[in-house]
Amino acid sequence: MLMRIGGKDVEGIDECWIEVKNPATGELVDRVPDGTNEDVSCAVDAAEAAFGAWAKKSMRERGMILFHAARIVRDQHKDLARLLTIEQGKPIYESIDEVRGFANILEFYAGISAHSSGEAIRLGPAGDCMVVREPLGVCGAIIPWNMPVLIMGWKVGPALLAGNTLVLKPASTTPLTTLKLAGILDSAGLLPGILNIVTGSGKSVGEAIVTHPAIRKLSFTGDCTTGNKIRELASGHLKDLTLELGGSDPMIVMDDADIDRAVEGAVRGRFYNAGQTCTAVKRLYVHEKISTRFIKKLKDRIDALTVGNGLGSKIDIGPMNSAGQREKISQMVEETRENKEGTILTGGYTLKGTAYERGYFYRPTLVSTISLDSRLVTSEIFGPVLPVMTVPDLDTAILEANNTRYGLGASVWTKDLATTKRVFDEVKAGIIWVNRHLTVPPEVPFGGMNESGIGRENGQHALDSYSRTKTLFLGW
Ligand code: NDP
């Protein structure tokens, strides 16, 4: 497939290509241009040229185009989901969820377009003020490979509704569904240049977007180290930044929890998308009174999970997205095994020697009695590995939950209101779920504290972040 710049499919100036492989088989799926600085400049020029007319439209008109695009996405959701599974690996039902999630986001922003509002301030004899919101101009977006469709929606929906134009770079392993969706948005009525997709590496295309002086705001989702680098590179031009940099979410299960429900929550919370989710359950703390029963049920449930090609039926877990990601996870587990830092209760191996050996599969893994210094506890584990720790009380659980540089999400599983209140007040995270984990509908603000990032995606909060206030002061 080709890049999309100025409403056209474009080959790129260099005629170099990136191969996109199916993570379930290692086979070549397609190739996309390996873009350059010049391609980013062309995309920014197209976005600048399109900005004036797009910004002048009413929010309601822009919303109608998003709404129309959502309908086309729903009509084509099966084909889009299939493509997503082929390039990303996740089971087809998860891809369908994600594609529908993209449509939900566009519909949410289309819905609030009818409520665009400002502010009026009465100052008394000195005058009155009218405060309105206006778009920022050309914005940049850099998205990762774990949830390329959903995260594209989180950026495209509010940025376009607010009246901005956009230059977006997908991850090199998952550009295809993004390109298809951009074509759909164009066909729904975007003028050429409003949404531009430049494919290529983070080093060239990513950094060219970050440093381009005409890009006023940048929204990035990905690794902490990359996010910090982006922050430094962008500081020269005083750009607005939204950084969503992952997390190490704790899940706390208290002794009054509904055990079966919490086991299901842990399985979905950790192993959805083969564990490659920023808000996945990455550390599980279980009250000692129920830990033996809980861990046994959890292990049995994990043993029953089916791993295989996401296009197959009855597959719970697909491959990881790349050989590199699997290697990272595999090394962490091996290190834990060799250093005797934990007990591997199940999993802890690839599918070598099976029909799946050419794919990047990793068997879902549960590790107990784990040392708190193990990398499985201290790092963001971006794969299907779950460390479980036993805690004597809520105080210890909260202390351990906060023992991280991240602060994206956390959950507590309990029936007790006082426990809920303490976790909500004391655990440092942008979202606290109770008897749930992972779900983030479009109306709910999403983002972290500490090293999990800056700013919020979703909801009115994201829309505000893609605009600035302008005040008319009427002096009587
Ligand atoms: P990256 O942060 O490298 O990649 C995310 C996106 O940023 C991709 O589009 C990538 O492009 C781009 N990028 C990479 N380097 C730069 C740069 N210097 N300037 C601008 N853009 C850049 O993450 P990885 O893919 O390397 O994953 C590493 C780890 O990050 C994972 O193991 C996981 O822990 C974490 N992660 C967290 C995510 C989250 O949702 N919070 C999502 C993805 C990863 P390209 O694909 O071309 O390299």
PDB file of all heavy atoms in Angstrom, residues 359-375:
ATOM      1  N   GLY A 359       5.649 -18.360  13.713  1.00  0.00           N
ATOM      2  CA  GLY A 359       5.027 -17.136  14.246  1.00  0.00           C
ATOM      3  C   GLY A 359       5.688 -16.711  15.547  1.00  0.00           C
ATOM      4  O   GLY A 359       6.503 -17.440  16.108  1.00  0.00           O
ATOM      5  N   TYR A 360       5.306 -15.514  16.026  1.00  0.00           N
ATOM      6  CA  TYR A 360       5.955 -14.950  17.218  1.00  0.00           C
ATOM      7  C   TYR A 360       5.108 -15.241  18.464  1.00  0.00           C
ATOM      8  O   TYR A 360       4.716 -14.337  19.189  1.00  0.00           O
ATOM      9  CB  TYR A 360       6.159 -13.442  17.046  1.00  0.00           C
ATOM     10  CG  TYR A 360       6.700 -13.064  15.685  1.00  0.00           C
ATOM     11  CD1 TYR A 360       6.135 -12.025  14.955  1.00  0.00           C
ATOM     12  CD2 TYR A 360       7.785 -13.749  15.116  1.00  0.00           C
ATOM     13  CE1 TYR A 360       6.629 -11.681  13.695  1.00  0.00           C
ATOM     14  CE2 TYR A 360       8.278 -13.417  13.867  1.00  0.00           C
ATOM     15  CZ  TYR A 360       7.688 -12.386  13.158  1.00  0.00           C
ATOM     16  OH  TYR A 360       8.162 -12.051  11.924  1.00  0.00           O
ATOM     17  N   PHE A 361       4.828 -16.534  18.676  1.00  0.00           N
ATOM     18  CA  PHE A 361       3.922 -16.916  19.770  1.00  0.00           C
ATOM     19  C   PHE A 361       4.690 -17.072  21.084  1.00  0.00           C
ATOM     20  O   PHE A 361       5.868 -17.448  21.093  1.00  0.00           O
ATOM     21  CB  PHE A 361       3.233 -18.240  19.443  1.00  0.00           C
ATOM     22  CG  PHE A 361       2.334 -18.141  18.237  1.00  0.00           C
ATOM     23  CD1 PHE A 361       2.789 -18.496  16.973  1.00  0.00           C
ATOM     24  CD2 PHE A 361       1.038 -17.675  18.376  1.00  0.00           C
ATOM     25  CE1 PHE A 361       1.963 -18.392  15.865  1.00  0.00           C
ATOM     26  CE2 PHE A 361       0.199 -17.575  17.275  1.00  0.00           C
ATOM     27  CZ  PHE A 361       0.666 -17.930  16.011  1.00  0.00           C
ATOM     28  N   TYR A 362       3.964 -16.813  22.164  1.00  0.00           N
ATOM     29  CA  TYR A 362       4.527 -17.070  23.495  1.00  0.00           C
ATOM     30  C   TYR A 362       3.399 -17.553  24.391  1.00  0.00           C
ATOM     31  O   TYR A 362       2.339 -16.933  24.462  1.00  0.00           O
ATOM     32  CB  TYR A 362       5.155 -15.795  24.086  1.00  0.00           C
ATOM     33  CG  TYR A 362       6.098 -16.099  25.227  1.00  0.00           C
ATOM     34  CD1 TYR A 362       7.379 -16.572  24.965  1.00  0.00           C
ATOM     35  CD2 TYR A 362       5.699 -15.944  26.538  1.00  0.00           C
ATOM     36  CE1 TYR A 362       8.256 -16.878  26.010  1.00  0.00           C
ATOM     37  CE2 TYR A 362       6.561 -16.250  27.589  1.00  0.00           C
ATOM     38  CZ  TYR A 362       7.845 -16.720  27.307  1.00  0.00           C
ATOM     39  OH  TYR A 362       8.702 -17.025  28.324  1.00  0.00           O
ATOM     40  N   ARG A 363       3.609 -18.681  24.996  1.00  0.00           N
ATOM     41  CA  ARG A 363       2.572 -19.295  25.819  1.00  0.00           C
ATOM     42  C   ARG A 363       2.275 -18.406  27.050  1.00  0.00           C
ATOM     43  O   ARG A 363       3.210 -17.956  27.725  1.00  0.00           O
ATOM     44  CB  ARG A 363       3.074 -20.687  26.228  1.00  0.00           C
ATOM     45  CG  ARG A 363       2.116 -21.582  26.971  1.00  0.00           C
ATOM     46  CD  ARG A 363       0.973 -22.121  26.191  1.00  0.00           C
ATOM     47  NE  ARG A 363      -0.194 -22.169  27.054  1.00  0.00           N
ATOM     48  CZ  ARG A 363      -1.449 -22.339  26.639  1.00  0.00           C
ATOM     49  NH1 ARG A 363      -1.724 -22.502  25.375  1.00  0.00           N
ATOM     50  NH2 ARG A 363      -2.431 -22.340  27.494  1.00  0.00           N
ATOM     51  N   PRO A 364       0.984 -18.126  27.357  1.00  0.00           N
ATOM     52  CA  PRO A 364       0.656 -17.303  28.524  1.00  0.00           C
ATOM     53  C   PRO A 364       1.286 -17.865  29.793  1.00  0.00           C
ATOM     54  O   PRO A 364       1.238 -19.074  30.035  1.00  0.00           O
ATOM     55  CB  PRO A 364      -0.863 -17.335  28.599  1.00  0.00           C
ATOM     56  CG  PRO A 364      -1.341 -18.209  27.516  1.00  0.00           C
ATOM     57  CD  PRO A 364      -0.210 -18.556  26.624  1.00  0.00           C
ATOM     58  N   THR A 365       1.854 -16.972  30.579  1.00  0.00           N
ATOM     59  CA  THR A 365       2.755 -17.365  31.658  1.00  0.00           C
ATOM     60  C   THR A 365       2.309 -16.755  32.984  1.00  0.00           C
ATOM     61  O   THR A 365       1.955 -15.575  33.033  1.00  0.00           O
ATOM     62  CB  THR A 365       4.178 -16.871  31.290  1.00  0.00           C
ATOM     63  OG1 THR A 365       4.517 -17.444  30.021  1.00  0.00           O
ATOM     64  CG2 THR A 365       5.220 -17.250  32.319  1.00  0.00           C
ATOM     65  N   LEU A 366       2.371 -17.567  34.026  1.00  0.00           N
ATOM     66  CA  LEU A 366       2.043 -17.086  35.375  1.00  0.00           C
ATOM     67  C   LEU A 366       3.250 -17.351  36.265  1.00  0.00           C
ATOM     68  O   LEU A 366       3.750 -18.470  36.317  1.00  0.00           O
ATOM     69  CB  LEU A 366       0.812 -17.844  35.897  1.00  0.00           C
ATOM     70  CG  LEU A 366       0.294 -17.443  37.274  1.00  0.00           C
ATOM     71  CD1 LEU A 366      -0.205 -16.000  37.288  1.00  0.00           C
ATOM     72  CD2 LEU A 366      -0.844 -18.371  37.718  1.00  0.00           C
ATOM     73  N   VAL A 367       3.707 -16.301  36.948  1.00  0.00           N
ATOM     74  CA  VAL A 367       4.883 -16.435  37.809  1.00  0.00           C
ATOM     75  C   VAL A 367       4.506 -16.023  39.234  1.00  0.00           C
ATOM     76  O   VAL A 367       3.967 -14.933  39.442  1.00  0.00           O
ATOM     77  CB  VAL A 367       6.042 -15.537  37.309  1.00  0.00           C
ATOM     78  CG1 VAL A 367       7.324 -15.828  38.094  1.00  0.00           C
ATOM     79  CG2 VAL A 367       6.288 -15.725  35.825  1.00  0.00           C
ATOM     80  N   SER A 368       4.800 -16.894  40.203  1.00  0.00           N
ATOM     81  CA  SER A 368       4.459 -16.562  41.604  1.00  0.00           C
ATOM     82  C   SER A 368       5.721 -16.486  42.457  1.00  0.00           C
ATOM     83  O   SER A 368       6.836 -16.659  41.938  1.00  0.00           O
ATOM     84  CB  SER A 368       3.507 -17.611  42.178  1.00  0.00           C
ATOM     85  OG  SER A 368       4.212 -18.806  42.383  1.00  0.00           O
ATOM     86  N   THR A 369       5.537 -16.273  43.737  1.00  0.00           N
ATOM     87  CA  THR A 369       6.626 -16.113  44.716  1.00  0.00           C
ATOM     88  C   THR A 369       7.798 -15.342  44.110  1.00  0.00           C
ATOM     89  O   THR A 369       8.945 -15.765  44.146  1.00  0.00           O
ATOM     90  CB  THR A 369       7.141 -17.489  45.233  1.00  0.00           C
ATOM     91  OG1 THR A 369       7.444 -18.307  44.104  1.00  0.00           O
ATOM     92  CG2 THR A 369       6.156 -18.176  46.130  1.00  0.00           C
ATOM     93  N   ILE A 370       7.451 -14.206  43.600  1.00  0.00           N
ATOM     94  CA  ILE A 370       8.439 -13.473  42.798  1.00  0.00           C
ATOM     95  C   ILE A 370       9.143 -12.408  43.629  1.00  0.00           C
ATOM     96  O   ILE A 370       8.526 -11.749  44.469  1.00  0.00           O
ATOM     97  CB  ILE A 370       7.731 -12.879  41.564  1.00  0.00           C
ATOM     98  CG1 ILE A 370       8.737 -12.311  40.587  1.00  0.00           C
ATOM     99  CG2 ILE A 370       6.700 -11.838  41.923  1.00  0.00           C
ATOM    100  CD1 ILE A 370       8.245 -12.287  39.178  1.00  0.00           C
ATOM    101  N   SER A 371      10.438 -12.242  43.360  1.00  0.00           N
ATOM    102  CA  SER A 371      11.210 -11.215  44.061  1.00  0.00           C
ATOM    103  C   SER A 371      10.773  -9.848  43.547  1.00  0.00           C
ATOM    104  O   SER A 371      10.583  -9.649  42.341  1.00  0.00           O
ATOM    105  CB  SER A 371      12.691 -11.447  43.779  1.00  0.00           C
ATOM    106  OG  SER A 371      13.349 -10.227  43.677  1.00  0.00           O
ATOM    107  N   LEU A 372      10.642  -8.897  44.460  1.00  0.00           N
ATOM    108  CA  LEU A 372      10.161  -7.571  44.062  1.00  0.00           C
ATOM    109  C   LEU A 372      11.178  -6.817  43.212  1.00  0.00           C
ATOM    110  O   LEU A 372      10.865  -5.807  42.597  1.00  0.00           O
ATOM    111  CB  LEU A 372       9.782  -6.747  45.297  1.00  0.00           C
ATOM    112  CG  LEU A 372       8.624  -7.334  46.120  1.00  0.00           C
ATOM    113  CD1 LEU A 372       8.273  -6.445  47.298  1.00  0.00           C
ATOM    114  CD2 LEU A 372       7.377  -7.575  45.265  1.00  0.00           C
ATOM    115  N   ASP A 373      12.434  -7.334  43.167  1.00  0.00           N
ATOM    116  CA  ASP A 373      13.451  -6.690  42.320  1.00  0.00           C
ATOM    117  C   ASP A 373      13.465  -7.261  40.908  1.00  0.00           C
ATOM    118  O   ASP A 373      14.198  -6.788  40.042  1.00  0.00           O
ATOM    119  CB  ASP A 373      14.871  -6.930  42.886  1.00  0.00           C
ATOM    120  CG  ASP A 373      15.000  -6.348  44.264  1.00  0.00           C
ATOM    121  OD1 ASP A 373      14.295  -5.358  44.520  1.00  0.00           O
ATOM    122  OD2 ASP A 373      15.776  -6.903  45.072  1.00  0.00           O
ATOM    123  N   SER A 374      12.692  -8.316  40.666  1.00  0.00           N
ATOM    124  CA  SER A 374      12.715  -8.935  39.340  1.00  0.00           C
ATOM    125  C   SER A 374      12.241  -7.929  38.301  1.00  0.00           C
ATOM    126  O   SER A 374      11.348  -7.115  38.561  1.00  0.00           O
ATOM    127  CB  SER A 374      11.780 -10.149  39.335  1.00  0.00           C
ATOM    128  OG  SER A 374      11.442 -10.481  38.013  1.00  0.00           O
ATOM    129  N   ARG A 375      12.819  -7.999  37.106  1.00  0.00           N
ATOM    130  CA  ARG A 375      12.392  -7.088  36.027  1.00  0.00           C
ATOM    131  C   ARG A 375      10.924  -7.296  35.674  1.00  0.00           C
ATOM    132  O   ARG A 375      10.278  -6.425  35.125  1.00  0.00           O
ATOM    133  CB  ARG A 375      13.264  -7.318  34.780  1.00  0.00           C
ATOM    134  CG  ARG A 375      14.574  -6.527  34.847  1.00  0.00           C
ATOM    135  CD  ARG A 375      15.040  -6.127  33.479  1.00  0.00           C
ATOM    136  NE  ARG A 375      15.391  -7.282  32.662  1.00  0.00           N
ATOM    137  CZ  ARG A 375      15.384  -7.282  31.338  1.00  0.00           C
ATOM    138  NH1 ARG A 375      15.015  -6.218  30.672  1.00  0.00           N
ATOM    139  NH2 ARG A 375      15.732  -8.375  30.674  1.00  0.00           N
TER     140      ARG A 375
END
